[in-house]
Amino acid sequence: MKSILANRWLLFSLRIILGGIFAYAGAVKIQTPQTFADSIAAFQLLPPQLINLLAMALPPLEIVTGVMLILGWRKRLASFAVLVLCIVFLVALATALLRNIPVDCGCFGSSQPSHWSTMIGFGRDILLTFAAYLLYQQRPPAPLAADVVAE
Amino acid sequence: MKTNTFSEIGRDFGGLLVLATIALTAGILINQFRADPIPLVYASKTARLEKAVASVQNAKPAETEIAPETAGPSEVRDIDLGEFRDLLTKQNALVLDARPEIFHRLGHVPGALALPRDDFESYYQKHRTKLESYKNRTLLIYCQGSSCEDSHLVADALSHLGYLRLAVFTGGWNQWTQEHLPEEKQ
């Protein structure tokens, strides 16, 4: 099992998919900051002073880390950033589920807030967290990474 | 796979902090160049709508001031699909779509006017003449479905602007399309 999870091509695929998901999610959210800020506010976790700042900062961060993952540039840092973001999203979604608050996760733009969509977002985030963890643990250079080519 | 040491993780946290700072700076700069930038401190949907209502009231021409006996918010009723269709046909009510304008363009209840919660002020001004002719007539408001709050927020805003007969179709666009009822596109 360990050897499968450490397979270079599996890790390469994961890196491209995860990078693509993050870059796409950031690109969608950056267009509608107010809608994204409303999604963040619905979680009832942050004070008003921090909500809009997070709504402004998160999409560029997702785009940058997504592109870094796709290019394979500083992929250790990029996978660490994605892992931390996934864990933060997981905690936020878990608290919403525990408090029975129907939220629009805001992951890929606006959708209707519901417990069902929160559950789906939570499940999807578990998979993304696992993928990010595998990439972060990766030590041998993945094929076609920009920094490998540079070497 | 090897385990990351604490010092490596600490270094990664430092890198993440640098990335986050760059992202925040970029985000603030991008926001400043938007046509409609968001403020640094968040205002709730209700607070933003209250501000839009106040702005509409301030822009109100003197001859359309609300009479004292009708001033003050009226009650907003929730209605189901059957009553919605009844009011639509029998009372010739005006239907208002509180969803974001893009969704209205993609499809709406025939004859419905766009009055999106997130751009209330400009759309109210756009439809002002028609809307104010319905001050004492029935206005039916809907949004996406039972879990959206936009229809109630818009109904409350209209109530504060002196509209007397307001009803929210709670099933919204979801129920309308599930029943395969006619759609209009713009």
Side-chain angles (χ1 to χ4, degrees), chain A residues 80-115:
Chain A
F80 179 75
V82 168
L83 177 62
V84 170
L85 288 176
C86 283
I87 292 171
V88 170
F89 298 156
L90 259 184
V91 171
L93 287 166
T95 61
L97 284 171
L98 287 173
R99 290 175 297 154
N100 212 22
I101 305 173
V103 291
D104 150 26
C105 87
C107 314
F108 302 98
S110 175
S111 63
Q112 284 305 305
S114 71
H115 291 293

Side-chain angles (χ1 to χ4, degrees), chain A residues 39-74:
Chain A
S39 298
I40 296 171
F43 282 88
Q44 300 169 26
L45 287 171
L46 293 175
Q49 291 81 359
L50 293 182
I51 291 171
N52 280 4
L53 288 177
L54 188 62
M56 285 185 241
L58 203 51
L61 184 59
E62 287 182 329
I63 292 171
V64 168
T65 52
V67 170
M68 282 167 72
L69 269 186
I70 291 169
L71 296 178
W73 184 68
R74 300 258 184 169

Side-chain angles (χ1 to χ4, degrees), chain A residues 30 38 52 136-137 139, chain B residues 2 4 12 34 39 42 48:
Chain A
I30 206 166
D38 287 333
N52 280 4
Y136 182 58
Q137 286 298 315
R139 284 304 167 85
Chain B
K2 292 176 190 170
N4 292 295
D12 292 334
R34 283 183 199 283
Y42 176 77
R48 297 199 304 270

Side-chain angles (χ1 to χ4, degrees), chain A residues 94-148:
Chain A
T95 61
L97 284 171
L98 287 173
R99 290 175 297 154
N100 212 22
I101 305 173
V103 291
D104 150 26
C105 87
C107 314
F108 302 98
S110 175
S111 63
Q112 284 305 305
S114 71
H115 291 293
W116 183 237
S117 71
T118 313
M119 291 286 285
I120 291 173
F122 188 74
R124 185 178 53 211
D125 208 27
I126 288 175
L127 293 176
L128 294 179
T129 307
F130 182 63
Y133 176 74
L134 285 181
L135 287 177
Y136 182 58
Q137 286 298 315
Q138 171 194 8
R139 284 304 167 85
L144 306 180
D147 45 4
V148 178

